[in-house]
Every structure is written in C-alpha cells, then in structure tokens.
Amino acid sequence: MTSISKKIALVTGGSRGLGKDMALQLAKKGFDVVITYHSKEKEAADVVTDIKVIGQNAVAIQLDVTKSKSFGAFTETLKSTLRSSFQRETFDALINNAGYGLHANMSDTTEDQFDEMVNVHLKAPFFLTQKLYTLINKGGSIVNVSSGLTRFSFTGYDAYATMKGGVETLTKYQAKFLGPLGIRVNTLAPGAIETDFGGGAVRDNQELNAMLAGMTSLGRVGLPDDIGGVVAFLCSDDSKWVNAQRIEVSGGIFI
C-alpha cells in the first residue's frame, strides 16, 4: 500500500471565528484542510486561499449542520472531493465546530429555539460523525467543540450549555465506540473568546470584556488564535495517547 504523507482535516464551520483559526493552525501543522461553511462562501474561499499560501491544499464545501438529513449527500460530496482534490479515499481528523449561540434564560427560551440548539450542537456531531467515521483513518482524531459554560454558568445560556453538556457525554461514548478502530475523540471547551459569537458581545461590549478578564487568571479574555493550536495538537500524533478528555482552553477562568 502506498504510504500517506499528508494528513487531511475536516473542520465544520471553518469560514470564520474559531473554525477559521483551527483550519489555519491545522495547515501550519502540516494538514491539508477541508472546511465547511453555511452561507459565507466568500469568507470560506478566503480561508482556502490563506491555507494555500501556507503551502497546504484546501477546499470549502457548503453544509448546513442543522439539517441532519443532508449528511448523507454531504458524505458523498466529501468522498468525491477527497478523490478529486486530494487523490484520497479517506481523511484523518474531524472537528465538529460549527454552531451558533442563543442568549435566553430558561423562562424565555421557546421550544423552537431549544430544538435549534439540539439540531446544531447535539444532533450534528452525533449524526455527522456517524456518517463519516468509516472514512477516518486508523490513528485519526475527532474533536468535539463544547464550552466552558458546562463547568460554570451564566444565566441566559441555559439551552446552549445544556447541549454542550450532551456533547461532552457524547465524546466519551464516541471514544469508547471508535477506540477499537484506532480513532481518538476529545472535547475542546473554549472559554470567553473575542469573536462574533453571540452577536460579538465578548468582543464588542467593553464592560463585559473587562468583567470576564477580571475573572480570568491570565487577566484577559481569549482570542481565536488561543484555540486553533490546541485543536491542531489534538489532531496530531503529538496527542496520540490523549483520548476521551475534556480540554478547557479558557485562560484559567473561575479557578
């Protein structure tokens, strides 16, 4: 069998924010990268260009992770893309990152909003991984993105954080199921990060930013480039014995 020299990572929601930095850091680690985007095609194309400047190959594929019934068609598109763009039948790392927030406390959360959170944050990593795991090489890695809000709580993130708690349990079960195939599964739990997540509140609300920085041991809130390198580590052979773990990347908030 011909040896495979380059690894390939798939990052969902890779056109902006944390997903963009994950894709770029994976490229710097030597991965070729497939990113998905929901509607930001131009931004996704720019990320692909940036990865190619680094010297790695990259492709962007449209995917709405809220529509689990589309995952079968996406899987076929991915297979075709792997063959045409990478001359491969398989890939090496899956990062279940795509998602968005909801700010509403328990009394104000509607059933439709709750269902949206289920679809994007719980059904997507469950059923997308179900469709794709047979394409992941032995020695591969899956990273499920959770949140620091599963360890500490701020009212208003009730439904969102509940789903992320489910993701952390899912990670353990995926690690147990996929371990015999040589595939590791870990959870990455970012703290407060300056992105457009949640309407950009942490980035744009200086009072909130300062409050969170004051609660954090390192004295600031996170930036996107605080996160991507940890994902690249969890997808690389440097972490080959790290499995079923929750890695919080929060600068030491609430310790």
Side-chain angles (χ1 to χ4, degrees), residues 33-36 48 51-52 57-61 81 85-86:
V33 185
V34 179
I35 65 170
T36 75
V48 167
I51 290 171
K52 289 182 176 179
N57 195 6
V59 176
I61 306 175
T81 300
S85 297
F86 303 95

Side-chain angles (χ1 to χ4, degrees), residues 46 129 160 182 188 207:
D46 290 342
T129 303
Y160 170 80
L188 178 93
E207 184 177 345

